[in-house]
Amino acid sequence: MEVVTFYLVLGAMLFSLGTLGVLIRKNAIVMFMCIELMLNGVNLTFVALARHMGGLEAQVFVFFVFAVAAAEAAVGLAIILAVFRNYRSIEVDNASRLAG
Amino acid sequence: MHVAMYIFGILTFVSACGVVFSRKSLHSALSLVATLFLVAVHFALLEADFLATLQVLIYAGAIMVLVVFVIMLLGLDEQVENPVLKLPALFAALLCGIFAGVFVYVFSKASILFVVAEPSSPTVLGDAHSVARLLFTEYIFPFEVVGVLLLAAVIGAALLAREDKRPLLPGRGLKAKRKEFAPVPDDEPRAESRGE
């Protein structure tokens, strides 16, 4: 198997596993970690294609994804803390007061 | 190269499964650390040295410290989540399987689409020097925007995570706060700040 194909498949696997985790887990922190998994799958795809195409622009994009992921981690974990403070649990099913 | 690629690829997949299917959130976090390190190894194998370093520093370092800190702070490390084997979960698993299958099919077919893309200059390396050169010339504006984004995230996180999270409306400013924190007589009940 070609190197780039292998990494594209691996990135797709990581992305799908992350999607599955977001869908089946109820724990907000685990869902958050699965989102990080999805971001990593995309990053891997970016870097594999950067190497295949012989350019560096995709690596710059991965850098921006890192920065956005860091921002997301800070805000997301703060939201989880706030939800825990109000509901004494981080199961996402409990925090459904806005849903009719 | 190829042997290392396959070995680390399988390890990455296994530890990613650990993130999704672990019953304790702390085990999920540890699996995620392993996955992030292995992705850093893949970055190094793909000659993206700078990104491999950043992956270890930012993801496996900073972000995972935050996650583990929150897990410990909320005391969730002893909580065991029972595996969900209900119909919706199975349906989700089927959906994600189809999703992955379509991806794999497309990628195995699509390699002919970019067969032209032989590296034009073989000296393109993802070390800090060349990435930074691109980052500070062509992509300087997005770089600045990312700085603003991080600042906004810090302010937002501080605002969300503070103990008293009433919005800073007029009359809720510093003067009102100072009045509120002044000692109150015991017979006067203080306003309940939480929802429940």
Side-chain angles (χ1 to χ4, degrees):
Chain A
M1 198 189 282
E2 261 189 278
V3 173
V4 61
T5 316
F6 176 79
Y7 278 115
L8 289 181
V9 168
L10 184 62
M13 290 290 182
L14 287 185
F15 191 87
S16 311
L17 268 175
T19 316
L20 180 65
V22 171
L23 288 177
I24 67 171
R25 296 303 294 259
K26 288 180 183 162
N27 191 327
I29 287 191
V30 179
M31 289 173 78
F32 171 82
M33 288 194 275
C34 288
I35 293 175
E36 301 290 325
L37 208 58
M38 292 166 77
L39 286 174
N40 266 278
V42 175
N43 282 350
L44 202 57
T45 310
F46 262 131
V47 175
L49 283 175
R51 182 172 182 270
H52 189 72
M53 302 292 200
L56 276 179
E57 282 82 2
Q59 296 198 9
V60 176
F61 271 82
V62 173
F63 177 83
F64 291 136
V65 172
F66 280 169
V68 173
E72 177 224 341
V75 176
L77 290 172
I79 289 175
I80 290 176
L81 272 181
V83 167
F84 183 82
R85 201 177 293 136
N86 280 326
Y87 295 94
R88 290 289 135 199
S89 135
I90 53 164
E91 297 232 335
V92 286
D93 290 351
N94 294 338
S96 61
R97 190 180 285 168
L98 279 181
Chain B
M1 168 75 193
H2 274 258
V3 180
M5 187 177 91
Y6 287 127
I7 291 173
F8 286 119
I10 291 168
L11 283 177
T12 310
F13 185 75
V14 170
S15 58
C17 286
V19 177
V20 178
F21 299 115
S22 287
R23 296 175 65 199
K24 286 187 177 180
S25 46
L26 200 58
H27 294 178
S28 280
L30 292 179
S31 302
L32 187 58
V33 172
T35 314
L36 296 175
F37 265 108
L38 286 163
V39 171
V41 169
H42 289 305
F43 284 173
L45 285 177
L46 289 167
E47 294 161 0
D49 314 349
F50 179 57
L51 289 181
T53 317
L54 277 191
Q55 173 92 4
V56 173
L57 281 180
I58 296 181
Y59 259 118
I63 293 183
M64 286 320 291
V65 165
L66 262 182
V67 170
V68 175
F69 179 77
V70 169
I71 291 175
M72 296 306 223
L73 181 72
L74 303 186
L76 304 166
D77 44 327
E78 291 302 322
Q79 233 176 48
V80 176
E81 188 179 333
N82 286 323
V84 216
L85 276 178
K86 286 180 232 148
L87 198 61
L90 292 179
F91 184 66
L94 182 71
L95 215 62
C96 291
I98 293 173
F99 193 54
V102 169
F103 265 127
V104 170
Y105 178 75
V106 168
F107 287 150
S108 56
K109 291 285 173 196
S111 51
I112 49 166
L113 290 181
F114 33 81
V115 100
V116 277
E118 276 304 304
S120 48
S121 56
T123 52
V124 171
L125 282 174
D127 58 354
H129 184 254
S130 24
V131 176
R133 181 180 294 274
L134 203 57
L135 200 59
F136 285 105
T137 54
E138 204 173 331
Y139 292 94
I140 184 70
F141 182 65
F143 185 75
E144 301 288 344
V145 173
V146 156
V148 176
L149 173 78
L150 285 173
L151 177 68
V154 167
I155 295 172
L159 205 67
L160 280 168
R162 69 195 178 125
E163 197 61 48
D164 177 16
K165 59 181 183 40
R166 268 176 296 179
L168 289 169
L169 296 172
R172 295 275 187 218
L174 267 183
K175 211 179 273 179
K177 282 273 183 231
R178 228 172 272 140
K179 211 175 290 172
E180 187 181 330
F181 282 124
V184 284
D186 280 340
D187 52 333
E188 186 179 322
R190 290 191 55 167
E192 191 62 45
S193 65
R194 280 177 199 145
E196 295 181 358

